[in-house]
mmCIF file of all heavy atoms in Angstrom:
data_model
loop_
_atom_site.group_PDB
_atom_site.id
_atom_site.type_symbol
_atom_site.label_atom_id
_atom_site.label_comp_id
_atom_site.label_asym_id
_atom_site.label_seq_id
_atom_site.Cartn_x
_atom_site.Cartn_y
_atom_site.Cartn_z
ATOM 1 N N ALA A 243 -4.918 -127.237 -72.267
ATOM 2 C CA ALA A 243 -6.204 -127.121 -71.629
ATOM 3 C C ALA A 243 -7.063 -126.242 -72.536
ATOM 4 O O ALA A 243 -6.605 -125.251 -73.060
ATOM 5 C CB ALA A 243 -6.103 -126.551 -70.250
ATOM 6 N N ARG A 244 -8.373 -126.627 -72.608
ATOM 7 C CA ARG A 244 -9.333 -125.848 -73.444
ATOM 8 C C ARG A 244 -10.622 -125.708 -72.655
ATOM 9 O O ARG A 244 -11.090 -126.616 -72.008
ATOM 10 C CB ARG A 244 -9.594 -126.540 -74.775
ATOM 11 C CG ARG A 244 -8.399 -126.818 -75.636
ATOM 12 C CD ARG A 244 -8.770 -127.688 -76.808
ATOM 13 N NE ARG A 244 -7.607 -127.989 -77.716
ATOM 14 C CZ ARG A 244 -6.792 -128.994 -77.561
ATOM 15 N NH1 ARG A 244 -7.021 -129.864 -76.565
ATOM 16 N NH2 ARG A 244 -5.873 -129.185 -78.414
ATOM 17 N N LEU A 245 -11.242 -124.520 -72.772
ATOM 18 C CA LEU A 245 -12.567 -124.231 -72.209
ATOM 19 C C LEU A 245 -13.404 -123.502 -73.244
ATOM 20 O O LEU A 245 -12.915 -122.711 -73.992
ATOM 21 C CB LEU A 245 -12.419 -123.352 -70.916
ATOM 22 C CG LEU A 245 -11.774 -124.005 -69.682
ATOM 23 C CD1 LEU A 245 -11.554 -122.924 -68.654
ATOM 24 C CD2 LEU A 245 -12.587 -125.130 -69.139
ATOM 25 N N LYS A 246 -14.727 -123.826 -73.185
ATOM 26 C CA LYS A 246 -15.627 -123.114 -74.147
ATOM 27 C C LYS A 246 -17.026 -123.071 -73.616
ATOM 28 O O LYS A 246 -17.526 -124.088 -72.991
ATOM 29 C CB LYS A 246 -15.586 -123.853 -75.505
ATOM 30 C CG LYS A 246 -16.433 -123.118 -76.540
ATOM 31 C CD LYS A 246 -16.281 -123.845 -77.884
ATOM 32 C CE LYS A 246 -17.078 -123.125 -78.952
ATOM 33 N NZ LYS A 246 -16.927 -123.785 -80.292
ATOM 34 N N TYR A 247 -17.697 -121.969 -73.832
ATOM 35 C CA TYR A 247 -19.121 -121.830 -73.598
ATOM 36 C C TYR A 247 -19.769 -121.429 -74.937
ATOM 37 O O TYR A 247 -19.262 -120.493 -75.587
ATOM 38 C CB TYR A 247 -19.426 -120.830 -72.519
ATOM 39 C CG TYR A 247 -20.955 -120.499 -72.514
ATOM 40 C CD1 TYR A 247 -21.903 -121.421 -72.083
ATOM 41 C CD2 TYR A 247 -21.358 -119.248 -72.947
ATOM 42 C CE1 TYR A 247 -23.219 -121.112 -72.067
ATOM 43 C CE2 TYR A 247 -22.713 -118.900 -72.962
ATOM 44 C CZ TYR A 247 -23.657 -119.856 -72.553
ATOM 45 O OH TYR A 247 -25.019 -119.556 -72.592
ATOM 46 N N ASP A 248 -20.813 -122.125 -75.352
ATOM 47 C CA ASP A 248 -21.457 -121.855 -76.655
ATOM 48 C C ASP A 248 -22.986 -121.733 -76.451
ATOM 49 O O ASP A 248 -23.633 -122.566 -75.825
ATOM 50 C CB ASP A 248 -21.118 -123.005 -77.589
ATOM 51 C CG ASP A 248 -21.597 -122.742 -79.013
ATOM 52 O OD1 ASP A 248 -22.838 -122.754 -79.270
ATOM 53 O OD2 ASP A 248 -20.784 -122.491 -79.893
ATOM 54 N N TYR A 249 -23.522 -120.647 -76.968
ATOM 55 C CA TYR A 249 -24.963 -120.366 -76.859
ATOM 56 C C TYR A 249 -25.483 -120.131 -78.287
ATOM 57 O O TYR A 249 -24.908 -119.365 -79.052
ATOM 58 C CB TYR A 249 -25.237 -119.176 -75.993
ATOM 59 C CG TYR A 249 -26.680 -118.664 -76.043
ATOM 60 C CD1 TYR A 249 -27.709 -119.323 -75.287
ATOM 61 C CD2 TYR A 249 -27.037 -117.624 -76.872
ATOM 62 C CE1 TYR A 249 -28.985 -118.889 -75.346
ATOM 63 C CE2 TYR A 249 -28.372 -117.168 -76.919
ATOM 64 C CZ TYR A 249 -29.339 -117.832 -76.176
ATOM 65 O OH TYR A 249 -30.637 -117.383 -76.305
ATOM 66 N N HIS A 250 -26.589 -120.820 -78.595
ATOM 67 C CA HIS A 250 -27.193 -120.665 -79.934
ATOM 68 C C HIS A 250 -28.707 -120.538 -79.805
ATOM 69 O O HIS A 250 -29.354 -121.381 -79.188
ATOM 70 C CB HIS A 250 -26.828 -121.879 -80.805
ATOM 71 C CG HIS A 250 -27.266 -121.716 -82.251
ATOM 72 N ND1 HIS A 250 -27.279 -122.761 -83.136
ATOM 73 C CD2 HIS A 250 -27.670 -120.663 -82.956
ATOM 74 C CE1 HIS A 250 -27.728 -122.327 -84.324
ATOM 75 N NE2 HIS A 250 -27.913 -121.062 -84.224
ATOM 76 N N TYR A 251 -29.231 -119.470 -80.366
ATOM 77 C CA TYR A 251 -30.662 -119.192 -80.407
ATOM 78 C C TYR A 251 -31.117 -119.170 -81.823
ATOM 79 O O TYR A 251 -30.516 -118.517 -82.702
ATOM 80 C CB TYR A 251 -31.007 -117.906 -79.685
ATOM 81 C CG TYR A 251 -32.386 -117.447 -79.895
ATOM 82 C CD1 TYR A 251 -33.424 -117.831 -79.050
ATOM 83 C CD2 TYR A 251 -32.707 -116.573 -80.993
ATOM 84 C CE1 TYR A 251 -34.737 -117.361 -79.235
ATOM 85 C CE2 TYR A 251 -34.019 -116.131 -81.131
ATOM 86 C CZ TYR A 251 -35.023 -116.521 -80.289
ATOM 87 O OH TYR A 251 -36.330 -116.081 -80.499
ATOM 88 N N SER A 252 -32.197 -119.904 -82.148
ATOM 89 C CA SER A 252 -32.739 -119.822 -83.519
ATOM 90 C C SER A 252 -34.264 -119.768 -83.385
ATOM 91 O O SER A 252 -34.913 -120.344 -82.586
ATOM 92 C CB SER A 252 -32.320 -121.091 -84.331
ATOM 93 O OG SER A 252 -32.925 -122.284 -83.801
ATOM 94 N N LYS A 253 -34.783 -118.994 -84.394
ATOM 95 C CA LYS A 253 -36.263 -118.840 -84.472
ATOM 96 C C LYS A 253 -36.644 -119.073 -85.921
ATOM 97 O O LYS A 253 -36.091 -118.405 -86.837
ATOM 98 C CB LYS A 253 -36.677 -117.462 -84.026
ATOM 99 C CG LYS A 253 -38.172 -117.156 -84.187
ATOM 100 C CD LYS A 253 -38.501 -115.755 -83.784
ATOM 101 C CE LYS A 253 -39.937 -115.374 -84.067
ATOM 102 N NZ LYS A 253 -40.218 -113.969 -83.776
ATOM 103 N N TYR A 254 -37.562 -119.970 -86.172
ATOM 104 C CA TYR A 254 -38.021 -120.357 -87.472
ATOM 105 C C TYR A 254 -39.477 -119.951 -87.556
ATOM 106 O O TYR A 254 -40.286 -120.324 -86.700
ATOM 107 C CB TYR A 254 -37.853 -121.821 -87.788
ATOM 108 C CG TYR A 254 -38.524 -122.343 -88.984
ATOM 109 C CD1 TYR A 254 -38.067 -122.191 -90.265
ATOM 110 C CD2 TYR A 254 -39.780 -122.995 -88.799
ATOM 111 C CE1 TYR A 254 -38.728 -122.684 -91.321
ATOM 112 C CE2 TYR A 254 -40.471 -123.482 -89.911
ATOM 113 C CZ TYR A 254 -39.981 -123.345 -91.163
ATOM 114 O OH TYR A 254 -40.644 -123.797 -92.256
ATOM 115 N N LYS A 255 -39.862 -119.300 -88.655
ATOM 116 C CA LYS A 255 -41.280 -118.896 -88.819
ATOM 117 C C LYS A 255 -41.762 -119.219 -90.245
ATOM 118 O O LYS A 255 -41.091 -118.909 -91.271
ATOM 119 C CB LYS A 255 -41.391 -117.381 -88.621
ATOM 120 C CG LYS A 255 -42.809 -116.821 -88.761
ATOM 121 C CD LYS A 255 -42.835 -115.333 -88.439
ATOM 122 C CE LYS A 255 -44.203 -114.775 -88.612
ATOM 123 N NZ LYS A 255 -44.270 -113.311 -88.349
ATOM 124 N N GLU A 256 -42.865 -119.916 -90.396
ATOM 125 C CA GLU A 256 -43.467 -120.184 -91.646
ATOM 126 C C GLU A 256 -44.903 -119.684 -91.683
ATOM 127 O O GLU A 256 -45.724 -120.021 -90.707
ATOM 128 C CB GLU A 256 -43.437 -121.709 -91.986
ATOM 129 C CG GLU A 256 -44.078 -121.992 -93.295
ATOM 130 C CD GLU A 256 -44.165 -123.481 -93.543
ATOM 131 O OE1 GLU A 256 -43.887 -124.320 -92.678
ATOM 132 O OE2 GLU A 256 -44.541 -123.886 -94.721
ATOM 133 N N ILE A 257 -45.296 -118.924 -92.615
ATOM 134 C CA ILE A 257 -46.638 -118.469 -92.792
ATOM 135 C C ILE A 257 -47.385 -119.381 -93.772
ATOM 136 O O ILE A 257 -46.944 -119.469 -94.941
ATOM 137 C CB ILE A 257 -46.691 -116.984 -93.303
ATOM 138 C CG1 ILE A 257 -45.996 -116.112 -92.308
ATOM 139 C CG2 ILE A 257 -48.136 -116.546 -93.578
ATOM 140 C CD1 ILE A 257 -45.886 -114.625 -92.744
ATOM 141 N N ASN A 258 -48.351 -120.068 -93.353
ATOM 142 C CA ASN A 258 -49.052 -121.001 -94.176
ATOM 143 C C ASN A 258 -50.462 -121.225 -93.667
ATOM 144 O O ASN A 258 -50.662 -121.427 -92.436
ATOM 145 C CB ASN A 258 -48.279 -122.349 -94.084
ATOM 146 C CG ASN A 258 -48.750 -123.358 -95.159
ATOM 147 O OD1 ASN A 258 -49.957 -123.598 -95.386
ATOM 148 N ND2 ASN A 258 -47.764 -123.968 -95.826
ATOM 149 N N LYS A 259 -51.435 -121.140 -94.549
ATOM 150 C CA LYS A 259 -52.811 -121.266 -94.121
ATOM 151 C C LYS A 259 -53.213 -122.637 -93.591
ATOM 152 O O LYS A 259 -54.242 -122.811 -93.019
ATOM 153 C CB LYS A 259 -53.737 -120.921 -95.313
ATOM 154 C CG LYS A 259 -53.573 -121.843 -96.520
ATOM 155 C CD LYS A 259 -54.461 -121.423 -97.707
ATOM 156 C CE LYS A 259 -54.296 -122.351 -98.903
ATOM 157 N NZ LYS A 259 -55.172 -121.966 -100.028
ATOM 158 N N ASN A 260 -52.294 -123.612 -93.805
ATOM 159 C CA ASN A 260 -52.610 -124.920 -93.241
ATOM 160 C C ASN A 260 -52.522 -125.013 -91.751
ATOM 161 O O ASN A 260 -52.987 -125.936 -91.123
ATOM 162 C CB ASN A 260 -51.647 -125.978 -93.890
ATOM 163 C CG ASN A 260 -51.864 -126.125 -95.400
ATOM 164 O OD1 ASN A 260 -53.029 -126.017 -95.860
ATOM 165 N ND2 ASN A 260 -50.807 -126.423 -96.108
ATOM 166 N N TYR A 261 -51.822 -124.032 -91.110
ATOM 167 C CA TYR A 261 -51.743 -124.011 -89.694
ATOM 168 C C TYR A 261 -53.037 -123.304 -89.132
ATOM 169 O O TYR A 261 -53.567 -122.369 -89.727
ATOM 170 C CB TYR A 261 -50.457 -123.267 -89.249
ATOM 171 C CG TYR A 261 -49.198 -123.905 -89.662
ATOM 172 C CD1 TYR A 261 -48.317 -123.218 -90.523
ATOM 173 C CD2 TYR A 261 -48.844 -125.162 -89.239
ATOM 174 C CE1 TYR A 261 -47.138 -123.831 -90.947
ATOM 175 C CE2 TYR A 261 -47.643 -125.737 -89.634
ATOM 176 C CZ TYR A 261 -46.836 -125.080 -90.488
ATOM 177 O OH TYR A 261 -45.627 -125.652 -90.872
ATOM 178 N N ASP A 262 -53.452 -123.744 -87.946
ATOM 179 C CA ASP A 262 -54.636 -123.139 -87.330
ATOM 180 C C ASP A 262 -54.504 -121.669 -87.141
ATOM 181 O O ASP A 262 -55.459 -120.876 -87.358
ATOM 182 C CB ASP A 262 -54.924 -123.815 -86.030
ATOM 183 C CG ASP A 262 -55.363 -125.306 -86.212
ATOM 184 O OD1 ASP A 262 -55.756 -125.662 -87.280
ATOM 185 O OD2 ASP A 262 -55.124 -126.065 -85.259
ATOM 186 N N SER A 263 -53.305 -121.197 -86.725
ATOM 187 C CA SER A 263 -53.092 -119.789 -86.480
ATOM 188 C C SER A 263 -52.581 -119.042 -87.700
ATOM 189 O O SER A 263 -52.337 -117.830 -87.620
ATOM 190 C CB SER A 263 -52.093 -119.615 -85.281
ATOM 191 O OG SER A 263 -50.839 -120.181 -85.685
ATOM 192 N N GLY A 264 -52.408 -119.773 -88.792
ATOM 193 C CA GLY A 264 -51.908 -119.117 -90.012
ATOM 194 C C GLY A 264 -50.395 -119.089 -90.073
ATOM 195 O O GLY A 264 -49.872 -118.674 -91.092
ATOM 196 N N GLN A 265 -49.741 -119.532 -89.010
ATOM 197 C CA GLN A 265 -48.270 -119.583 -89.069
ATOM 198 C C GLN A 265 -47.760 -120.534 -88.026
ATOM 199 O O GLN A 265 -48.445 -120.985 -87.069
ATOM 200 C CB GLN A 265 -47.700 -118.155 -88.723
ATOM 201 C CG GLN A 265 -48.002 -117.656 -87.334
ATOM 202 C CD GLN A 265 -47.385 -116.350 -87.041
ATOM 203 O OE1 GLN A 265 -47.178 -115.557 -87.947
ATOM 204 N NE2 GLN A 265 -47.167 -115.992 -85.793
ATOM 205 N N GLN A 266 -46.485 -120.984 -88.228
ATOM 206 C CA GLN A 266 -45.827 -121.863 -87.337
ATOM 207 C C GLN A 266 -44.523 -121.177 -86.929
ATOM 208 O O GLN A 266 -43.752 -120.765 -87.711
ATOM 209 C CB GLN A 266 -45.514 -123.215 -88.013
ATOM 210 C CG GLN A 266 -44.651 -124.138 -87.211
ATOM 211 C CD GLN A 266 -45.363 -124.745 -86.020
ATOM 212 O OE1 GLN A 266 -46.611 -124.796 -85.982
ATOM 213 N NE2 GLN A 266 -44.607 -125.199 -85.000
ATOM 214 N N VAL A 267 -44.282 -121.108 -85.607
ATOM 215 C CA VAL A 267 -43.085 -120.515 -85.068
ATOM 216 C C VAL A 267 -42.378 -121.510 -84.190
ATOM 217 O O VAL A 267 -42.954 -121.972 -83.217
ATOM 218 C CB VAL A 267 -43.347 -119.179 -84.270
ATOM 219 C CG1 VAL A 267 -42.068 -118.614 -83.729
ATOM 220 C CG2 VAL A 267 -44.076 -118.146 -85.175
ATOM 221 N N ASP A 268 -41.126 -121.846 -84.565
ATOM 222 C CA ASP A 268 -40.321 -122.792 -83.738
ATOM 223 C C ASP A 268 -39.152 -121.995 -83.136
ATOM 224 O O ASP A 268 -38.448 -121.327 -83.925
ATOM 225 C CB ASP A 268 -39.765 -123.960 -84.589
ATOM 226 C CG ASP A 268 -40.894 -124.845 -85.119
ATOM 227 O OD1 ASP A 268 -41.979 -124.814 -84.527
ATOM 228 O OD2 ASP A 268 -40.651 -125.598 -86.102
ATOM 229 N N VAL A 269 -38.955 -122.131 -81.866
ATOM 230 C CA VAL A 269 -37.865 -121.430 -81.173
ATOM 231 C C VAL A 269 -37.016 -122.538 -80.532
ATOM 232 O O VAL A 269 -37.513 -123.432 -79.813
ATOM 233 C CB VAL A 269 -38.355 -120.493 -80.127
ATOM 234 C CG1 VAL A 269 -37.213 -119.892 -79.331
ATOM 235 C CG2 VAL A 269 -39.188 -119.392 -80.765
ATOM 236 N N ASN A 270 -35.649 -122.475 -80.772
ATOM 237 C CA ASN A 270 -34.738 -123.403 -80.181
ATOM 238 C C ASN A 270 -33.641 -122.615 -79.502
ATOM 239 O O ASN A 270 -33.117 -121.615 -80.000
ATOM 240 C CB ASN A 270 -34.132 -124.333 -81.213
ATOM 241 C CG ASN A 270 -35.110 -125.313 -81.815
ATOM 242 O OD1 ASN A 270 -35.391 -126.306 -81.219
ATOM 243 N ND2 ASN A 270 -35.674 -124.990 -82.947
ATOM 244 N N GLU A 271 -33.288 -123.073 -78.292
ATOM 245 C CA GLU A 271 -32.228 -122.424 -77.514
ATOM 246 C C GLU A 271 -31.266 -123.477 -76.963
ATOM 247 O O GLU A 271 -31.735 -124.366 -76.194
ATOM 248 C CB GLU A 271 -32.866 -121.599 -76.387
ATOM 249 C CG GLU A 271 -31.889 -120.714 -75.648
ATOM 250 C CD GLU A 271 -32.611 -119.852 -74.605
ATOM 251 O OE1 GLU A 271 -33.868 -119.845 -74.561
ATOM 252 O OE2 GLU A 271 -31.902 -119.111 -73.878
ATOM 253 N N LYS A 272 -30.000 -123.416 -77.392
ATOM 254 C CA LYS A 272 -29.031 -124.413 -77.044
ATOM 255 C C LYS A 272 -27.925 -123.844 -76.277
ATOM 256 O O LYS A 272 -27.389 -122.759 -76.574
ATOM 257 C CB LYS A 272 -28.483 -125.136 -78.273
ATOM 258 C CG LYS A 272 -27.512 -126.271 -77.954
ATOM 259 C CD LYS A 272 -27.009 -126.874 -79.247
ATOM 260 C CE LYS A 272 -26.056 -125.936 -79.968
ATOM 261 N NZ LYS A 272 -24.772 -125.703 -79.250
ATOM 262 N N ASN A 273 -27.446 -124.535 -75.188
ATOM 263 C CA ASN A 273 -26.289 -124.142 -74.393
ATOM 264 C C ASN A 273 -25.337 -125.314 -74.377
ATOM 265 O O ASN A 273 -25.789 -126.507 -74.238
ATOM 266 C CB ASN A 273 -26.678 -123.762 -72.993
ATOM 267 C CG ASN A 273 -27.394 -122.429 -72.894
ATOM 268 O OD1 ASN A 273 -26.788 -121.361 -72.779
ATOM 269 N ND2 ASN A 273 -28.718 -122.472 -72.954
ATOM 270 N N GLU A 274 -24.041 -125.051 -74.499
ATOM 271 C CA GLU A 274 -23.047 -126.100 -74.344
ATOM 272 C C GLU A 274 -21.890 -125.595 -73.510
ATOM 273 O O GLU A 274 -21.384 -124.484 -73.725
ATOM 274 C CB GLU A 274 -22.537 -126.621 -75.667
ATOM 275 C CG GLU A 274 -21.519 -127.741 -75.484
ATOM 276 C CD GLU A 274 -21.110 -128.370 -76.791
ATOM 277 O OE1 GLU A 274 -20.208 -127.821 -77.445
ATOM 278 O OE2 GLU A 274 -21.669 -129.419 -77.144
#
Side-chain angles (χ1 to χ4, degrees):
R244 303 172 179 88
L245 292 172
K246 184 176 183 179
Y247 167 69
D248 188 287
Y249 170 81
H250 188 194
Y251 168 89
S252 67
K253 176 183 174 183
Y254 166 82
K255 179 179 179 180
E256 180 184 8
I257 298 175
N258 194 313
K259 62 183 180 181
N260 293 328
Y261 298 117
D262 293 338
S263 62
Q265 65 179 24
Q266 172 72 23
V267 178
D268 294 342
V269 175
N270 291 280
E271 189 174 356
K272 181 182 71 68
N273 287 272
E274 181 174 84

